[in-house]
Structure formats: C-alpha cells, structure tokens
Amino acid sequence: FLDVAANSRLRTTFYSTLCKLLFSDDSTLKFKQFMAPFTELLTQLREQTSQEAFQSPNVCKALIGLLRDLRGVVSACSSRRTYTLFFEWIYPDFTPVLQRAAATYYAMPEVT
C-alpha cells in the first residue's frame, strides 16, 4: 500500500494514526523501535557523499516518501514529551540530511 503512487498522500494519515497509538504508551523504547526504518533510511541518505548520487531519482522518491511519513509522525506529536522524543531522534544526526534535501530539491514541491 505504501509503494503505490496513488496512495502517497495517505502515508501521512497512516503514520499519524500509528503514532497516535504509539504515543498513548509512555515507552521510549517502542518509539525508537518504530523509528528504526526511518533511522536506517536517513543513515543511507546521509552516506550519499556525491551530489550526483543525492540527485538521483531513487533518492528523490525515497525523500518524498520519507518526508510524507515524517509529517505524519510530527502531526501526531501533541505534547512536550512526544515533541521531545521526535526532536531528540532527528537532531543533530539527521538535520543535515534535511538541509541538504532542501538545498538540492528546493524547486520541487513534492519534496519541499
């Protein structure tokens, strides 16, 4: 369902719903386990050293999906605890990837 292009906008809703359920529990371990696929993908993107590799269609597609998913995660953050969980996960390890994506794909609304 997540790989079907027609369902791309539903990814945000899907992850928002999952995270609302996840955040109803106070376990930070479950959050880290839930975020493991995102951690892996962002780590792979961070390791793209050449600009040509970062501009490839595969990276662009991965970024579009990732950003839609993360938008759903953030939209489910409704308390200081959940915002802090997300912020501590993304900063400072993965914010350079997001900065690079913004600098590279600034003209593509699908990414930004």
Side-chain angles (χ1 to χ4, degrees):
F1 137 80
L2 293 176
D3 291 331
V4 178
N7 295 336
S8 66
R9 291 183 185 247
L10 297 175
R11 294 173 74 130
T12 303
T13 306
F14 177 72
Y15 279 102
S16 177
T17 304
L18 285 179
C19 284
K20 286 177 185 176
L21 292 171
L22 177 70
F23 292 149
S24 67
D25 188 18
D26 286 338
S27 174
T28 59
L29 180 61
K30 288 181 182 178
F31 176 76
K32 290 182 181 183
Q33 291 172 341
F34 181 80
M35 297 303 283
F38 301 117
T39 301
E40 183 180 327
L41 179 57
L42 280 164
T43 302
Q44 290 172 0
L45 291 173
R46 184 177 57 196
E47 293 170 355
Q48 297 290 330
T49 55
S50 74
Q51 189 64 17
E52 294 80 24
F54 199 77
Q55 291 176 333
S56 74
N58 290 338
V59 169
C60 182
K61 184 178 175 186
L63 276 169
I64 291 169
L66 173 72
L67 294 174
R68 285 190 186 275
D69 299 347
L70 291 181
R71 180 178 176 196
V73 173
V74 171
S75 71
C77 293
S78 60
S79 69
R80 181 180 184 146
R81 180 185 68 83
T82 56
Y83 277 111
T84 301
L85 276 173
F86 182 80
F87 184 76
E88 288 178 349
W89 170 77
I90 202 163
Y91 182 81
D93 294 334
F94 302 122
T95 49
V97 176
L98 300 178
Q99 290 172 335
R100 187 174 180 194
T104 303
Y105 295 105
Y106 66 90
M108 290 187 69
E110 299 88 5
V111 179
T112 59

